[in-house]
């Protein structure tokens, strides 16, 4: 019986990876592998989720955010990276109004021929981003293409729908968004100048677990990953078959109606990583670092973070080395592989 199964509290964002976890629960994959996933879906951002856990460590056992809030949050909380949910690089973008002069020039940097903008059209512009998120990271990488940084533009701290409204009302010149808010921007006629993938800003979403929770719940964590990976397998096998369920998911957790065309497009644009590939990425050889460790260290060492000074209400930009004390392990993925193997016998 479901109530006899071990329970794990999972909090996910109202995004594609949150949908796959929701789908896993809807299909009963969690019960199938022997766990009861208590799922919470939030229409917010990674920094907010990390802050919730800091204020109440019992708010979740497992969550999933991008590297930027993960790096910041895990410097203050003991967390363990246990798997990869998906890749948001193709579904995070910078948007402007269709009459923006940023759109007048394309390929200013010949190494990035598909990206709009130039130093002359970008300098002095105001961009809305949510601080310490993938949107902020992407804007940094975008500006670097033009030999610019945050001292060349103005930044306001706004997320998602508030950023869209600010652009719509002419209060800002550009916004950095991730799916599904990108759909709302495009529906209002806003134009994309670059994706995170275009500017080589890697945005993997990582599963992380409260370190204290891992001590007595290794098998529960592995079962949770196994349930999610069953949903990943479904997307790999037939992504378009998930379209109607994705619509239902977004309808349930959003006040907006998302079109069938967008839902199919968004699923196809999100890369998911099969189990065996994840194991290779997490694998350490000798004293060296795994691919995931190298990625996290690279992001941490080069990340330019926007820091909000609450005393002056000013934004400052600083480039700093971020200490990276997190644990990164493949032991739960290996257990998940055994669970899935036994399931398919």
């Amino acid at each position: 019986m479901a109530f006899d199964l071990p329970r794990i509290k999972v909090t996910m964002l109202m995004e594609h990876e949150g949908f796959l976890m929701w789908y896993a629960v809807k299909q009963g994959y969690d019960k199938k592998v022997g766990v009861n996933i208590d799922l919470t879906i939030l229409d917010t951002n990674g920094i907010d989720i990390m802050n919730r856990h800091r204020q109440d460590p019992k708010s979740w056992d497992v969550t999933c955010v991008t590297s930027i809030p993960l790096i910041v949050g895990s410097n203050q909380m003991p967390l363990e990276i246990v798997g990869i949910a998906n890749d948001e690089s193709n579904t995070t973008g910078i948007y402007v109004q269709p009459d923006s002069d940023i759109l007048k020039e394309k390929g200013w940097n010949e190494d990035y021929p598909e990206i709009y903008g130039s130093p002359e059209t970008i300098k002095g512009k105001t961009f809305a981003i949510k601080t310490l998120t993938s949107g902020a990271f992407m804007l940094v990488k975008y500006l670097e293409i033009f030999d610019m940084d945050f001292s060349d533009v103005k930044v306001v701290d706004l997320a998602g729908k508030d950023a869209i409204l600010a652009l719509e009302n002419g209060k800002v010149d550009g916004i950095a968004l991730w799916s599904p808010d990108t759909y709302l921007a495009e529906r209002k006629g806003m134009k994309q100048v670059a994706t995170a993938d275009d500017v080589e800003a890697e945005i993997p979403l990582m599963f992380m677990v409260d370190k204290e929770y891992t001590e007595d719940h290794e098998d529960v964590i592995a079962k949770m990953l196994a349930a999610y990976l069953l949903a990943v397998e479904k997307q790999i096998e037939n992504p378009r078959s998930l379209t109607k369920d994705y619509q239902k998911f977004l309808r349930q957790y959003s006040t907006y109606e998302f079109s069938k065309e967008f839902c199919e497009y968004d699923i196809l644009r999100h890369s998911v990583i099969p189990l065996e590939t994840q194991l290779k990425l997490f694998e350490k050889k000798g004293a060296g670092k795994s691919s995931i460790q190298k990625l996290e260290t690279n992001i941490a060492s080069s990340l330019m973070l926007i820091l909000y000074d609450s005393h002056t209400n000013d934004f400052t930009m600083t480039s700093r080395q971020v200490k990276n004390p997190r644990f990164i392990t493949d032991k739960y993925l290996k257990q998940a592989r055994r669970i899935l193997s036994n399931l398919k016998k």
Side-chain angles (χ1 to χ4, degrees):
M1 299 295 289
F3 53 79
D4 292 328
L5 297 175
R7 176 173 170 265
I8 184 168
K9 295 173 69 175
V10 180
T11 292
M12 306 283 286
L13 292 169
M14 191 198 74
E15 301 175 358
H16 170 263
E17 73 285 349
F19 159 68
L20 286 183
M21 187 65 80
W22 175 88
Y23 183 82
V25 173
K26 179 176 180 289
Q27 296 299 314
Y29 294 160
D30 58 338
K31 313 302 186 297
K32 194 173 183 179
V33 299
V35 68
N36 189 354
I37 294 177
D38 181 1
L39 181 61
T40 298
I41 300 293
L42 297 176
D43 184 9
T44 181
N45 57 77
I47 285 295
D48 178 55
I49 285 180
M50 301 302 282
N51 286 337
R52 286 169 186 257
H53 191 266
R54 186 177 297 106
Q55 295 162 8
D56 177 14
K58 301 298 182 183
S59 62
W60 49 258
D61 304 318
V62 180
T63 195
C64 186
V65 298
T66 60
S67 296
I68 295 85
L70 185 156
I71 288 167
V72 175
S74 61
N75 280 320
Q76 302 164 334
M77 295 179 286
L79 302 170
E80 193 165 72
I81 295 176
V82 301
I84 309 171
N86 64 7
D87 181 2
E88 292 275 331
S89 302
N90 276 322
T91 58
T92 301
I94 293 173
Y95 286 81
V96 298
Q97 288 285 35
D99 60 352
S100 171
D101 57 355
I102 291 176
L103 295 171
K104 292 179 180 178
E105 188 164 352
K106 185 178 181 182
W108 178 88
N109 184 327
E110 61 183 20
D111 292 331
Y112 302 90
E114 299 303 315
I115 293 177
Y116 290 92
S118 66
E120 293 73 26
T121 58
I122 295 170
K123 189 173 180 61
K125 293 289 195 295
T126 300
F127 290 88
I129 57 173
K130 182 59 186 174
T131 60
L132 306 179
T133 66
S134 57
F137 182 49
M138 182 195 169
L139 186 56
V140 167
K141 303 299 284 186
Y142 174 73
L143 292 173
E144 286 177 355
I145 290 171
F146 304 98
D147 299 321
M148 304 173 77
D149 58 34
F150 274 67
S151 66
D152 297 298
V153 298
K154 299 175 183 177
V155 173
V156 295
D157 183 23
L158 291 173
K161 300 170 186 61
D162 291 332
I164 293 172
L165 184 62
L167 181 57
E168 190 175 24
N169 293 336
K171 295 181 179 179
V172 300
D173 303 296
I175 54 179
L177 300 170
W178 53 86
S179 170
D181 287 332
T182 51
Y183 168 74
L184 303 178
E186 290 169 9
R187 195 171 70 173
K188 291 178 178 292
M190 297 166 186
K191 302 298 182 182
Q192 186 181 86
V193 301
T195 67
D197 187 55
D198 291 334
V199 300
E200 300 174 349
E202 295 180 90
I203 306 180
L205 274 97
M206 304 290 193
F207 281 110
M208 68 190 72
V209 187
D210 182 282
K211 185 64 178 170
E212 184 176 334
Y213 182 81
T214 66
E215 294 176 4
D216 299 312
H217 299 90
E218 286 190 15
D219 61 327
V220 182
I221 296 165
K223 289 174 180 177
M224 181 276 300
L225 287 173
Y228 185 83
L229 287 163
L230 285 172
V232 167
E233 288 181 8
K234 182 68 174 179
Q235 170 158 337
I236 292 171
E237 291 167 4
N238 190 357
R240 289 182 171 85
S241 69
L242 299 175
T243 300
K244 287 185 179 179
D245 282 304
Y246 195 24
Q247 274 189 296
K248 291 177 183 177
F249 167 79
L250 292 174
R251 187 181 301 122
Q252 180 175 340
Y253 293 103
S254 170
T255 57
Y256 296 89
E257 184 71 27
F258 291 82
S259 71
K260 177 183 176 182
E261 292 74 21
F262 166 77
C263 290
E264 180 177 301
Y265 171 78
D266 202 49
I267 289 170
L268 293 172
R269 294 261 290 175
H270 275 93
S271 298
V272 289
I273 298 95
L275 174 57
E276 294 304 319
T277 302
Q278 291 204 35
L279 286 167
K280 290 178 181 177
L281 292 172
F282 275 76
E283 182 182 10
K284 284 182 64 177
K285 295 181 179 179
K289 291 185 176 181
S290 68
S291 296
I292 291 301
Q293 287 176 312
K294 290 177 182 177
L295 171 63
E296 291 298 304
T297 301
N298 180 54
I299 293 175
S301 64
S302 64
L303 186 62
M304 305 229 355
L305 302 174
I306 297 177
L307 301 179
Y308 179 67
D309 185 338
S310 59
H311 299 293
T312 63
N313 290 325
D314 287 332
F315 287 97
T316 57
M317 199 67 188
T318 181
S319 178
R320 65 178 184 177
Q321 299 291 321
V322 181
K323 188 179 179 183
N324 190 3
R326 289 184 312 286
F327 297 92
I328 300 176
T329 178
D330 62 358
K331 65 182 177 181
Y332 304 102
L333 287 170
K334 288 178 177 177
Q335 289 182 50
R337 178 165 59 181
R338 289 194 293 270
I339 293 167
L340 293 174
S341 178
N342 290 333
L343 194 66
K344 295 171 183 178
K345 286 181 179 178

